[in-house]
Amino acid sequence: MRTERRWASRLPPAVQDSLLPALLLLHVLIMWTPAELPVAAVLTAALALPLAWRRRAPLPVFGAVAIAAAIQWLVGIQLPADVALLVALYTVAASAERVTFVAVAVVELGAVLACLRWATDGAFLTPFAALTAMIVAATALGINHRTTRAYQEVMRDQAVAEERARITREMHDIVTHNLSVMVALADAAGYAQPEKATAAMRQVSETGRQALTDMRRSLGVLRPDAARHPLPGIAQLDTLATQMCAAGLPTELEIDGDHAHVPATAQLTVYRLVQEALTNTLKHTPAGTRAKVRIECAAEAVTVDVTDTGPPIPSAPHPGNGITGMHERSAAYGGTVQAGPLPDGGWRVHTRLVFGSAVSA
């Protein structure tokens, strides 16, 4: 059965919808006598053939099948093609919420009329109960299919929104950081001696290339060759600190513990948090400010602590994307970003990321 279902699911929808009408017509041609065949074949075609268009026009198809069933009842011929009513009812329930119960009422009325006309020996209740059960089952299956499809669409939209937000955070962090460094280097080059200005401009060029590389890495997860562009992690913090020093923010880096066991996504989060904190320091503090980054790697957690010696950063009434992104990144690992002035002066950004089995605890 599983093999048959997989085979059937690979067929185009139009072919799938044509299988049942073809089988019903074949059944009539084989089982009915030549005297009864013309009427039976015409009624079967009227009941079954509209099902080939049921996905594109569920309500018109249901109406056509219901009319054909009414004509069949008037003629007084019982046909296996009556199952087309259940298929049409299922399609309506799966696609049109508002008229589902109207369709159920129509089919239920047909069941009552059929039992009154064709029930043998006055046994009305048993066939009526069986037909009602089939009507309820077809309706429930259709409603379940519609609900499942709606849920999948919501989940798909949510996944797209989350991916869009992730890309937005990555692009903000990359562009803001690297542009801040490039601006600081360019300003310094304007007042430096020719030799130092040349070195600063080389650093600007290197920073620009690094920004392009980071963008390729961030967007590379959407491509099959993403493995060739690994995202930055704790190991790249040393390069980041060197870059900040070149931009005019002396930065000290201290990493306690082994970070090899930290998941790549958690390492990327650590890197982006440190990058955003240092970028804010570079943008909002005067010359002479120093920064210190301390990373503590435990068995199932990473603590991030970034401090500087600059004056307190004035709080904006509406925090920018950087602060919001820091909170979102930290919250993904159960952390809360604490940002504020230190008692003896300076500014501190602190959070603790939890991963592994400690997440459930």
Side-chain angles (χ1 to χ4, degrees):
M1 288 296 293
R2 291 180 180 177
T3 303
E4 294 173 354
R5 287 177 182 175
R6 285 197 297 267
W7 175 80
S9 63
R10 295 173 184 173
L11 296 175
V15 176
Q16 296 179 32
D17 294 339
S18 301
L19 289 177
L20 180 59
L23 291 175
L24 292 174
L25 287 171
L26 181 63
H27 177 270
V28 170
L29 294 175
I30 294 175
M31 300 302 296
W32 287 75
T33 63
E36 298 173 328
L37 181 59
V39 176
V42 170
L43 289 175
T44 298
L47 286 167
L49 289 181
L51 296 180
W53 292 272
R54 66 185 183 89
R55 298 178 194 261
R56 286 171 284 182
L59 293 179
V61 166
F62 177 82
V65 173
I67 293 172
I71 296 173
Q72 175 208 352
W73 183 83
L74 292 173
V75 174
I77 297 179
Q78 290 182 276
L79 294 168
D82 288 333
V83 72
L85 269 172
L86 296 176
V87 177
L89 175 61
Y90 163 83
T91 307
V92 170
S95 58
E97 179 180 0
R98 294 183 179 180
V99 298
T100 295
F101 293 104
V102 176
V104 170
V106 171
V107 179
E108 189 69 18
L109 176 61
V112 172
L113 296 176
C115 291
L116 288 174
R117 181 156 194 170
W118 289 307
T120 58
D121 301 327
F124 173 84
L125 186 59
T126 300
F128 176 73
L131 290 176
T132 301
M134 287 189 286
I135 293 171
V136 172
T139 306
L141 289 173
I143 293 174
N144 180 70
H145 178 76
R146 185 180 71 235
T147 304
T148 302
R149 186 174 64 244
Y151 173 77
Q152 290 174 345
E153 291 176 356
V154 170
M155 295 302 295
R156 190 182 304 114
D157 293 342
Q158 182 178 348
V160 170
E162 291 177 353
E163 181 64 12
R164 185 181 294 113
R166 183 198 68 81
I167 294 175
T168 300
R169 288 196 302 267
E170 291 293 319
M171 292 301 100
H172 170 271
D173 291 347
I174 292 171
V175 173
T176 301
H177 166 74
N178 288 285
L179 283 180
S180 298
V181 173
M182 293 170 70
V183 169
L185 288 170
D187 289 343
Y191 298 97
Q193 296 178 354
E195 298 81 4
K196 294 184 177 180
T198 302
M201 296 310 298
R202 289 199 192 99
Q203 187 65 35
V204 169
S205 177
E206 180 62 30
T207 302
R209 281 192 289 269
Q210 182 64 39
L212 292 175
T213 301
D214 288 345
M215 292 178 67
R216 293 191 190 100
R217 286 171 175 170
S218 297
L219 298 176
V221 296
L222 306 177
R223 304 196 307 265
D225 61 345
R228 295 186 298 173
H229 303 279
L231 295 173
I234 296 177
Q236 283 70 43
L237 288 177
D238 185 63
T239 302
L240 177 63
T242 302
Q243 188 181 51
M244 300 306 294
C245 291
L249 177 65
T251 303
E252 178 185 351
L253 175 64
E254 180 181 341
I255 301 177
D256 294 336
D258 184 14
H259 60 268
H261 66 286
V262 180
T265 53
Q267 292 203 33
L268 173 63
T269 299
V270 172
Y271 183 91
R272 295 301 186 210
L273 289 173
V274 173
Q275 184 184 56
E276 180 64 26
L278 293 178
T279 301
N280 287 338
T281 300
L282 180 65
K283 290 167 55 178
H284 299 291
T285 59
T289 301
R290 305 181 65 86
K292 180 177 181 179
V293 178
R294 187 173 186 273
I295 308 296
E296 184 178 347
C297 302
E300 295 182 340
V302 177
T303 301
V304 180
D305 198 77
V306 182
T307 59
D308 63 57
T309 60
I313 301 175
S315 58
H318 302 287
N321 292 330
I323 298 297
T324 302
M326 293 173 70
H327 283 289
E328 291 176 351
R329 291 180 184 278
S330 183
Y333 288 92
T336 301
V337 174
Q338 301 173 1
L342 294 170
D344 298 331
W347 192 264
R348 182 193 189 203
V349 175
H350 175 85
T351 189
R352 183 173 182 269
L353 311 180
V354 180
F355 54 88
S357 60
V359 174
S360 58

